[in-house]
Amino acid sequence: MTLTKIKSPIKVQGDDSKDKLGLVHVYTGDGKGKTSASLGLALRAIGNNLSVHMIQFLKSGFTGELASAKKLGFVIEQFGVDALRERQKHLQEFKDKTGTFVFQPDIKEKDAAMEGWHHAKEVIKSGKYDVVILDEINCVLEKGLIPLQEVLQIIKAHGKVELILTGRDAPKELMEIADYVSVVNRVKHPWQKGIIARKGIEY
């Protein structure tokens, strides 16, 4: 794709009205940056006085965005199985900030994923939020942990909420009905050289 060379000013008119909210974004692919892109969008939305809510499927443990979200005044809720266990112990935040993450077998994550999905539906329908991010939901769908048809139904009738869905292996049915689809391809990754996840960059 060749960029157009601009020889004279081009004025692009933006739209400040919330009435045009309600589009669907999908960030997928095997490269780094899908969650990061959704957090960048959240930062922009908050700067424009939009309310944001993020639900993270499959994830448990402390990451930098949890602390940032508190400072910025938006909610991130984790629905990995270990995150739910921690909440059941009435802990306000995770004690383990060592950068150790456990990926549980899919079967162990199924109930947590369904709980996250039921909560996500309520959040979307509540009308309280302008932007709702469903982080790693594409992975959950690919694993068959929540019903794809339910997700498609909610997307088709979600109203004026801007929806962002992240994670690898987004189903083609989801990409077909989305308004934005960005595929992040991995060309290089430090893990290929044995460099482990680094605080503040990967988590």
Side-chain angles (χ1 to χ4, degrees):
M1 180 179 172
T2 304
L3 289 175
T4 302
K5 293 182 178 179
I6 300 174
K7 296 180 179 179
S8 59
I10 298 173
K11 184 176 182 180
V12 179
Q13 182 63 48
D15 191 336
D16 294 343
S17 172
K18 286 187 180 183
D19 292 339
K20 297 296 172 62
L21 294 178
L23 300 186
V24 178
H25 309 234
V26 171
Y27 297 122
T28 192
D30 64 357
K32 170 180 163 50
K34 299 175 290 292
T35 297
S36 302
S38 71
L39 288 166
L41 195 152
L43 183 66
R44 175 177 290 161
I46 291 164
N48 284 291
N49 298 314
L50 299 182
S51 54
V52 180
H53 192 105
M54 183 180 213
I55 294 168
Q56 294 187 320
F57 294 88
L58 303 176
K59 290 183 175 176
S60 301
F62 179 82
T63 57
E65 60 261 30
L66 297 179
S68 296
K70 284 184 179 179
K71 293 176 183 178
L72 292 170
F74 83 97
V75 178
I76 298 179
E77 295 181 284
Q78 292 184 328
F79 279 86
V81 64
D82 290 333
L84 293 183
R85 286 179 187 146
E86 290 295 315
R87 284 215 285 279
Q88 286 166 1
K89 293 178 186 176
H90 305 290
L91 297 179
Q92 295 302 308
E93 60 182 70
F94 294 93
K95 289 181 179 177
D96 182 8
K97 295 188 180 183
T98 62
T100 301
F101 301 93
V102 178
F103 296 94
Q104 297 289 355
D106 295 347
I107 190 65
K108 287 193 173 182
E109 289 285 1
K110 185 173 178 62
D111 289 345
M114 281 302 298
E115 185 173 336
W117 172 236
H118 291 315
H119 180 64
K121 288 190 289 186
E122 294 304 313
V123 168
I124 293 166
K125 292 175 181 177
S126 72
K128 294 179 181 178
Y129 301 99
D130 301 305
V131 178
V132 174
I133 302 168
L134 305 178
D135 187 36
E136 305 296 353
I137 194 170
N138 299 338
C139 299
V140 169
L141 289 168
E142 193 275 332
K143 292 171 183 288
L145 302 181
I146 63 175
L148 174 59
Q149 289 307 314
E150 272 195 32
V151 176
L152 296 176
Q153 286 171 8
I154 290 291
I155 287 173
K156 289 175 182 176
H158 68 281
K160 296 294 183 184
V161 181
E162 200 84 0
L163 287 182
I164 294 89
L165 300 91
T166 80
R168 296 175 175 233
D169 303 315
K172 62 177 176 48
E173 297 93 333
L174 180 60
M175 292 196 284
E176 284 170 0
I177 65 170
D179 299 290
Y180 300 82
V181 176
S182 297
V183 180
V184 183
N185 293 318
R186 184 182 68 188
V187 177
K188 283 185 177 182
H189 197 292
W191 288 355
Q192 294 167 303
K193 297 188 290 186
I195 298 173
I196 64 173
R198 294 163 301 143
K199 187 175 183 178
I201 306 299
E202 274 81 33
Y203 66 92

